[in-house]
Amino acid sequence: MSRKKKAASAQSTQQLMGIDSLKDYCISTHMGDLVFFIIKPTNISVLPDTSITARIYALLNVMKGLAEVEMLALNSKESFEYNKNFYQERMEQEELPAIGKLLAQDSQHLDRIQVLMASSREFYIVVRLREDQGSDVFPYLSRIEQSINDNGFTTRRATQQDLKRMLGVYFEQNVTTEDFEDFDGDRWVTTKE
């Protein structure tokens, strides 16, 4: 095994993702701390055109008011594409009509679930903190949160568990875990006191 591969295999998952640490309020990376604000989505399909235009203008106000803002949109639910592809392949190979019919029903069930979850998105406004902010960081973050809320969006700053869940969904498509551990298997370790 080459030296480069050995070094990569010895890295933790956090290191491989470029994360130095997860703090209570941010993700620390070598390029700065990233603070995430969770934006509650609005169903724009039921809004008139004028309201949609107003929402876009309000988002524009948020974005132009903060130079260090980035946006992130993620699926907050599982994708069933692999499962649907598996059912499709099995239906093509299946010789028994009864089994083929059951596979078709399973595939249709996954389609219905996916349609119900189609609007399950999570939106984040990401703020990259400068190193020189020091102790002024929390009042600064409160002003940003207030600015977002003043522009008509419902938001809150992501907690450490929110950040772990977001990373779990983004990297692993894991939406079933409620509490993420700091270390894999951490819940099974007991210590004598």
Side-chain angles (χ1 to χ4, degrees):
M1 187 180 261
S2 72
R3 202 179 313 173
K4 197 174 196 178
K5 285 185 180 180
K6 283 182 185 178
S9 67
Q11 289 182 325
S12 70
T13 304
Q14 277 188 204
Q15 290 169 327
L16 290 171
M17 293 188 315
I19 296 174
D20 294 336
S21 66
L22 279 171
K23 297 181 181 175
D24 290 338
Y25 66 96
C26 70
I27 296 175
S28 289
T29 70
H30 68 285
M31 296 175 59
D33 290 349
L34 302 173
V35 178
F36 292 77
F37 292 92
I38 302 171
I39 304 293
K40 185 177 180 186
T42 303
N43 185 358
I44 63 171
S45 65
V46 297
L47 295 176
D49 289 344
T50 55
S51 294
I52 294 172
T53 303
R55 300 291 291 171
I56 292 170
Y57 184 72
L59 183 59
L60 178 66
N61 283 335
V62 170
M63 298 301 286
K64 72 180 181 181
L66 304 164
E68 55 279 331
V69 165
E70 301 169 32
M71 292 198 68
L72 179 65
L74 299 174
N75 288 333
S76 63
K77 298 294 180 197
E78 293 178 77
S79 170
F80 296 112
E81 288 306 311
Y82 292 120
N83 300 53
K84 288 171 34 179
N85 290 339
F86 171 77
Y87 284 135
Q88 187 62 40
E89 290 173 14
R90 281 286 290 121
M91 283 189 285
E92 292 169 4
Q93 297 169 355
E94 187 55 52
E95 295 176 9
L96 296 173
I99 301 294
K101 186 177 177 182
L102 289 173
L103 289 168
Q105 288 174 350
D106 284 343
S107 182
Q108 289 171 355
H109 176 70
L110 289 181
D111 285 337
R112 282 193 300 274
I113 291 173
Q114 194 134 16
V115 166
L116 292 173
M117 295 185 331
S119 62
S120 298
R121 304 275 189 265
E122 290 186 334
F123 299 94
Y124 297 87
I125 289 183
V126 186
V127 177
R128 189 177 302 273
L129 297 177
R130 298 183 312 267
E131 291 181 23
D132 61 343
Q133 286 176 311
S135 63
D136 295 337
V137 73
F138 291 109
Y140 173 69
L141 294 175
S142 293
R143 283 193 304 272
I144 291 174
E145 188 172 356
Q146 188 61 46
S147 170
I148 296 168
N149 287 328
D150 288 347
N151 279 288
F153 296 96
T154 305
T155 188
R156 67 179 175 81
R157 193 172 28 200
T159 64
Q160 189 177 42
Q161 279 299 313
D162 292 328
L163 295 172
K164 288 179 182 180
R165 186 182 48 74
M166 178 199 63
L167 291 170
V169 170
Y170 184 75
F171 285 106
E172 189 185 347
Q173 293 296 307
N174 181 351
V175 296
T176 57
T177 303
E178 290 183 22
D179 285 325
F180 287 88
E181 304 166 340
D182 289 328
F183 301 97
D184 194 21
D186 206 20
R187 69 183 174 276
W188 305 112
V189 176
T190 58
T191 57
K192 292 182 181 180
E193 293 182 25

